[in-house]
Amino acid sequence: MNIVYKSEPERGRKWAALVTERAPGSSFRQWPDIGDPTTVDYLVAWQPPSDIMQQFPNLKVLFSVGAGADQFDYARLPADLPVVRMVEPGLTNGMVEYVTFAVLGLHRDMPRYLQQQREQQWQPHPMRAAAKRRIGVMGLGSLGEAVLKPLLALGFDCGGWSRTRREIDGVQCWAGKDQLGDFLARTDILICLLPLTDSTKGLLNSDCFNQLPHGAALVQAGRGAQLNHNDLLSALDSQQLSAAVIDVTDPEPLPAGHPFWRHPAIWLTPHIASQTMPETAVDALLANIRRFESGEPMIGLIDRQRGY
Ligand code: NDP
Ligand code: OXD
């Protein structure tokens, strides 16, 4: 099997070593050193070249190096080329850590206490039990479902919302646009782990924030274009929202002087909620290639009609 990798070169070197070790006899090359392009079977990329099928006329599968595959321009990809997003335990664990950290920080009022520290103000506030804090996860896919586990174990009151109805032990689930309002009305900490599609673009807006209980908080770890920045700032100004942990923005990076950089109620991170980990991702890639070659369904195959 011939694989070409086109993404961050440093991490690519790790992928190369691991593929060589775990799939002896295969060929793994890093862009732009692609060898004979007519022999390339699989491309692992964040951004493929725009003339992908001219570059690789015999390409069998395009693998996204990340969990999202919204960065691809599908109009330029042949309709029958399978596109697969990354589902692997290292990436999932990273997101579990980030969301748990963010929820605990918000639950324990850390943005407020950090602001008080800057003002040299020693002022305790009443503590709330985890069981009285209602967490709501938007997107109950591989990441959304995984982040709920530690939150349930910590005793939070957990709910979730997805496009189609899900059944998750201990989690009250809602589905579809019709049930979004009911889900938001009971959510104190809203976590967005949705893919970016036509239906989720701009979803985190005033209309959404106004349906949350007064003083709710937001964790945005999905995709930047889902969040309306001005609407978030207005919701924070009016205290409809108390705080936000934002990992993804549109654009990335945020321009100098953007109000998020210095806002006391915003924790901003540079799209690091999670990352694909070569040690585990290589196994996921090789297992998917084996599935593809034996005619089984690949894990993470993008459904182009659905948009994710
Ligand atoms: P999945 O495809 O496994 O899950 C997506 C979930 O979102 C599903 O539950 C799906 O519903 C739901 N969904 C999709 N569209 C809608 C909609 N219109 N309304 C309601 N629910 C919807 O994705 P993952 O869990 O693997 O990843 C989620 C996203 O997280 C990625 O697409 C990426 O954008 C983001 N991400 C961010 C990272 C970061 O570092 N910040 C790192 C990795 C991922 P259903 O169950 O019905 O299909
Ligand atoms: C991803 C990401 O999609 O890093 O993996 O956002």
Side-chain angles (χ1 to χ4, degrees), residues 2-235:
N2 286 352
I3 307 171
V4 165
Y5 170 100
K6 180 177 178 294
S7 189
E8 209 253 301
E10 181 66 35
R11 281 203 269 167
R13 280 189 277 281
K14 289 193 188 144
W15 282 70
L18 291 161
V19 170
T20 308
E21 175 195 308
R22 295 177 194 176
S26 62
S27 152
F28 185 98
R29 289 173 173 269
Q30 272 212 65
W31 182 273
D33 167 31
I34 58 174
D36 175 359
T38 64
T39 65
V40 173
D41 303 308
Y42 305 109
L43 177 64
V44 184
W46 183 250
Q47 270 308 345
S50 53
D51 56 347
I52 181 170
M53 294 318 283
Q54 279 80 50
Q55 281 275 352
F56 305 113
N58 297 311
L59 192 69
K60 294 175 181 158
V61 183
L62 169 61
F63 290 96
S64 172
V65 85
D70 54 279
Q71 73 279 17
F72 297 144
D73 179 357
Y74 286 90
R76 287 175 171 272
L77 299 178
D80 58 351
L81 178 70
V83 178
V84 178
R85 67 199 173 80
M86 184 53 71
V87 182
E88 64 92 2
L91 180 73
T92 304
N93 291 344
M95 188 57 82
V96 167
E97 288 172 5
Y98 185 89
V99 169
T100 308
F101 145 81
V103 167
L104 287 175
L106 293 167
H107 170 60
R108 297 306 308 267
D109 275 341
M110 286 312 288
R112 187 181 198 180
Y113 286 120
L114 290 175
Q115 181 59 18
Q116 286 187 195
Q117 181 185 353
R118 284 190 280 271
E119 292 163 0
Q120 302 190 29
Q121 200 190 344
W122 188 276
Q123 176 62 59
H125 301 282
M127 202 180 113
R128 189 153 152 186
K132 299 276 178 213
R133 187 80 71 182
R134 296 162 299 176
I135 310 296
V137 178
M138 300 177 106
L140 298 174
S142 48
L143 300 178
E145 188 163 355
V147 304
L148 280 159
K149 290 195 182 113
L151 300 176
L152 283 168
L154 285 162
F156 288 105
D157 178 352
C158 292
W161 180 73
S162 50
R163 195 178 54 87
T164 57
R165 185 153 211 91
R166 297 272 151 164
E167 298 274 332
I168 305 173
D169 265 1
V171 179
Q172 196 177 352
C173 291
W174 288 264
K177 271 207 157 141
D178 292 350
Q179 295 185 1
L180 179 59
D182 291 343
F183 162 75
L184 293 173
R186 53 71 62 200
T187 293
D188 299 313
I189 299 180
L190 180 67
I191 299 158
C192 178
L193 281 172
L194 289 166
L196 182 62
T197 65
D198 290 344
S199 325
T200 67
K201 192 170 181 189
L203 190 64
L204 301 175
N205 58 17
S206 295
D207 188 40
C208 165
F209 302 145
N210 289 337
Q211 294 180 68
L212 294 165
H214 185 75
L218 171 71
V219 179
Q220 162 56 333
R223 279 289 181 269
Q226 291 157 346
L227 174 66
N228 182 311
H229 293 192
N230 287 332
D231 287 3
L232 174 62
L233 292 166
S234 303

Side-chain angles (χ1 to χ4, degrees), residues 250-274:
D250 183 20
E252 289 179 6
L254 276 185
H258 188 285
F260 284 9
W261 285 114
R262 289 181 176 274
H263 200 293
I266 294 180
W267 285 357
L268 180 67
T269 52
H271 200 144
I272 50 71
S274 193

